[in-house]
Amino acid sequence: MKKLIILFTLALAGANLTGCHINVIRLDNRIEKWQSLKKKKEASLESMARFANETIYFFLTTIDFQRSREAVINDAKRLRYHHKLTSMQVFLIDYYAKRALEAISGEEKDWERAALEWARADSLTYGFLPRHEHTFRLVLFDDGYTRYIREIAYQGERYNRLERDYTGSMNAFRKMSEYKSRLAEHLMEQGRRVEALEAYLLVFKRDPENFARAEKTVKNMTGDTIREIQVRRLAADIAMKGFLSLCYEIYGLTEDAMRGIRAEQGDEAAEGMFPEIIGQLAMDYNISPEQAADIYYFTKSEIEGTLPEYIHLWRHEILKGQEPRRPAMVN
């Protein structure tokens, strides 16, 4: 009986292993077929898009390939698959961006459909498949169109790296950029200048035909070039991340100290020690006690979901009564 159980267990393990190997073989075969599809002139874009979608979906939803206990490939092989599937990702970005342009190229322009197709292309620039954002995502091309455009304006060499690593990515971006340019002009015709400005800012510098017009319009509207605005916004994003990190750090240290006092002396003692804890943190971070207390309460409300939305939007302005600086140096 014991031998039968052992044999049965081994058979199950073998079946599982065979199944895992089958998935690897299936993915390898699909990647080979993709290479042949790209060489076939008669292959339709629709069939290629469908095949690329199915292949990426198979990879992202098959647990054998993902980082889990059930995975049957190592990290190096997983990244190689990510790199190979990125060519399909770039193809799909280009495909949906082209569909967005087609929707507004006829006599009767369908801006709603164009926005949907462009959003699908944008979803792919984040590494997600459209309509499948709940799955795993591709990890080598995943910053999103807006951030790529902003960073390319800030450091032009990123253009060369992206095009070198992912052939066709910049051509796809030019299609996404053309849509933004035409959208901006459409919004300007409707008198929606603020929305038009945001669309103009997403016109790609390497899209020369549309960028020249966008640059001139933005300069007339704001007095600044697109690059100047994008660099300023990128710097603001970086500063905001640092500020939010500071907020959570102060909140966490305060909570840790309060938790220890509660455990030893009770809630009333912890509340009584709050000013002293905040005062010490204010000295450590070289900010005022009032600002340290505000940071704690705002962050607490945000975590608990009780921070009013209008305050949430402006918390970085409200809380910067005194700019956070580096912790005071101890002599």
Side-chain angles (χ1 to χ4, degrees), residues 35-91:
Q35 297 302 324
S36 63
L37 278 175
K38 289 196 296 183
K39 296 175 183 177
K40 289 183 179 178
K41 294 182 180 179
E42 67 274 11
S44 71
L45 293 179
E46 290 75 14
S47 63
M48 289 181 69
R50 187 165 53 252
F51 183 85
N53 262 304
E54 290 170 354
T55 304
I56 294 173
Y57 182 78
F58 173 63
F59 173 69
L60 295 180
T61 57
T62 301
I63 206 68
D64 295 344
F65 303 121
Q66 303 308 323
R67 302 189 69 177
S68 68
R69 292 179 181 177
E70 295 84 3
V72 297
I73 58 175
N74 58 29
D75 284 344
K77 190 166 186 179
R78 182 180 301 106
L79 285 174
R80 283 197 292 273
Y81 277 132
H82 275 287
H83 185 73
K84 291 177 180 179
L85 293 178
T86 297
S87 69
M88 299 185 196
Q89 177 189 6
V90 169
F91 170 85

Side-chain angles (χ1 to χ4, degrees), residues 218-269:
V218 170
K219 183 76 172 176
N220 289 337
M221 292 174 72
T222 67
D224 293 324
T225 66
I226 290 176
R227 184 180 186 279
E228 287 169 343
I229 295 173
Q230 293 289 33
V231 169
R232 192 163 60 243
R233 288 188 174 185
L234 182 63
D237 285 349
I238 294 170
M240 176 55 69
K241 285 183 179 178
F243 180 72
L244 293 179
S245 176
L246 172 79
C247 289
Y248 284 106
E249 193 171 314
I250 289 176
Y251 172 79
L253 291 171
T254 306
E255 279 294 292
D256 287 345
M258 297 275 283
R259 192 179 300 113
I261 297 170
R262 284 193 196 99
E264 293 181 4
Q265 303 176 43
D267 292 343
E268 188 174 339

Side-chain angles (χ1 to χ4, degrees), residues 9 86 89 129-130 169 180 313:
T9 303
T86 297
Q89 177 189 6
L129 276 179
S169 58
K180 282 297 181 181
L313 292 172

Side-chain angles (χ1 to χ4, degrees), residues 289-303:
E290 291 81 7
Q291 189 188 14
D294 282 345
I295 285 174
Y296 170 80
Y297 284 118
F298 270 69
T299 309
K300 179 179 174 66
S301 296
E302 183 181 34
I303 291 172

Side-chain angles (χ1 to χ4, degrees), residues 112-318:
E112 187 174 337
R113 182 191 146 211
L116 177 62
E117 298 290 359
W118 194 91
R120 287 171 176 163
D122 194 37
S123 180
L124 280 152
T125 66
Y126 285 97
F128 290 112
L129 276 179
R131 299 184 294 274
H132 296 294
E133 284 81 0
H134 59 282
T135 67
F136 290 95
R137 67 174 180 170
L138 296 169
V139 299
L140 300 178
F141 194 116
D142 62 350
D143 279 352
Y145 176 80
T146 300
R147 187 163 184 84
Y148 280 123
I149 295 303
R150 190 173 291 175
E151 290 192 354
I152 286 170
Y154 182 68
Q155 47 177 13
E157 71 275 7
R158 180 140 200 203
Y159 166 89
N160 299 323
R161 292 203 307 273
L162 285 172
E163 186 58 25
R164 180 199 65 207
D165 295 340
Y166 314 116
T167 304
S169 58
M170 296 301 105
N171 191 46
F173 274 2
R174 278 188 283 273
K175 289 186 177 68
M176 294 182 76
S177 169
E178 183 180 348
Y179 167 78
K180 282 297 181 181
S181 176
R182 293 170 67 175
L183 173 63
E185 291 169 1
H186 174 66
L187 293 169
M188 286 290 279
E189 290 171 2
Q190 296 181 326
R192 297 157 64 181
R193 291 173 59 84
V194 174
E195 294 170 80
L197 174 62
E198 291 303 314
Y200 275 128
L201 290 174
L202 292 180
V203 176
F204 187 24
K205 185 175 182 179
R206 307 283 179 151
D207 174 16
E209 182 179 342
N210 296 299
F211 185 80
R213 287 197 307 272
E215 181 83 306
K216 183 178 179 180
T217 305
V218 170
K219 183 76 172 176
N220 289 337
M221 292 174 72
T222 67
D224 293 324
T225 66
I226 290 176
R227 184 180 186 279
E228 287 169 343
I229 295 173
Q230 293 289 33
V231 169
R232 192 163 60 243
R233 288 188 174 185
L234 182 63
D237 285 349
I238 294 170
M240 176 55 69
K241 285 183 179 178
F243 180 72
L244 293 179
S245 176
L246 172 79
C247 289
Y248 284 106
E249 193 171 314
I250 289 176
Y251 172 79
L253 291 171
T254 306
E255 279 294 292
D256 287 345
M258 297 275 283
R259 192 179 300 113
I261 297 170
R262 284 193 196 99
E264 293 181 4
Q265 303 176 43
D267 292 343
E268 188 174 339
E271 294 300 322
M273 289 291 292
F274 177 78
E276 186 175 332
I277 295 168
I278 283 294
Q280 182 59 53
L281 285 171
M283 290 177 61
D284 292 343
Y285 285 88
N286 199 18
I287 58 177
S288 68
E290 291 81 7
Q291 189 188 14
D294 282 345
I295 285 174
Y296 170 80
Y297 284 118
F298 270 69
T299 309
K300 179 179 174 66
S301 296
E302 183 181 34
I303 291 172
E304 293 175 349
T306 57
L307 191 67
E309 187 61 26
Y310 72 94
I311 293 180
H312 175 83
L313 292 172
W314 295 99
R315 68 175 184 267
H316 57 292
E317 294 291 338
I318 295 169

